[in-house]
Every structure is written in C-alpha cells, then in structure tokens.
Amino acid sequence: MTDRDFNAHHTSWGCGSDSIRDCHVLDVIEDNNLVLLNNGQATTVASLTWSPNALVSSSLALSCEWGLHDSPLGYHIPVIIRVNVSVKPLPASNAGYCFTEENKIL
C-alpha cells in the first residue's frame, strides 16, 4: 500500500489529457496489479479532478475503505484509509531480534 500525491493527470481517471509521466504511472499500476482507492472525489482544494494517491495490491483492495478528511491541509485534502484485516500476533519466540556484541542484527 502506498499513499502519496503522484500529481498524475490521466484520461483514465477523468482528466483532459495525458503526458508521458502520467502514462508511466498508469503502466506501473497495471503492471503490478494495483488498485486505485478513490471514489472520484477531488483530493485537492478547488479542483474538479483527482490524482491517484492511494494504491494497494488487488488482494488487499476489498478490505480497504477510502475517504477524505473534513478539513483540507493546505492545498491537499488528507486521505483516510481504513484496512479491515485481522492480524495474528507473532509467537513470542519470533518477536525479537538477535544482536551480536557489536549491536548488529544477525
């Protein structure tokens, strides 16, 4: 999962034109079987379009809820992602690291 502003405006998500960089972002999404988490809402203030920001694996996508915060943070509107999965804690024997005398992880 990643959440960042790619500032990519591609016709695939409703923008008026494409650039080489925007096409590259789309290629990465398709080549890695990623899913965009967005319901079409603009992620910037005073904008009618949105740029991909929340990308997850296809296996995780159905467990995610995507939304926007009520208050903008500057020009951007913060994205809220909830991941509804059960996480099993590691057994105590696997929970730590083994250090050498020089404090290097083995």
Side-chain angles (χ1 to χ4, degrees):
M1 173 188 295
T2 182
D3 184 37
R4 63 164 288 164
D5 183 1
F6 288 97
N7 199 21
H9 305 282
H10 195 277
T11 53
S12 292
W13 38 87
C15 296
S17 62
D18 305 331
S19 74
I20 297 288
R21 185 176 54 84
D22 305 334
C23 291
H24 179 67
V25 170
L26 183 61
D27 288 343
V28 169
I29 292 168
E30 291 174 345
D31 292 349
N32 291 285
N33 201 24
L34 300 174
V35 176
L36 292 169
L37 297 180
N38 188 301
N39 60 8
Q41 289 180 277
T43 53
T44 56
V45 176
S47 176
L48 299 177
T49 61
W50 59 276
S51 175
N53 51 14
L55 301 171
V56 297
S57 66
S58 58
S59 61
L60 187 60
L62 293 177
S63 300
C64 295
E65 296 175 35
W66 183 94
L68 295 176
H69 193 274
D70 294 335
S71 302
L73 183 61
Y75 179 71
H76 292 91
I77 302 170
V79 172
I80 299 169
I81 302 169
R82 285 195 175 86
V83 181
N84 302 308
V85 295
S86 297
V87 178
K88 295 180 182 178
L90 290 174
S93 62
N94 294 334
Y97 293 100
C98 182
F99 291 93
T100 64
E101 288 183 20
E102 294 85 24
N103 289 326
K104 295 179 182 174
I105 298 175
L106 294 177

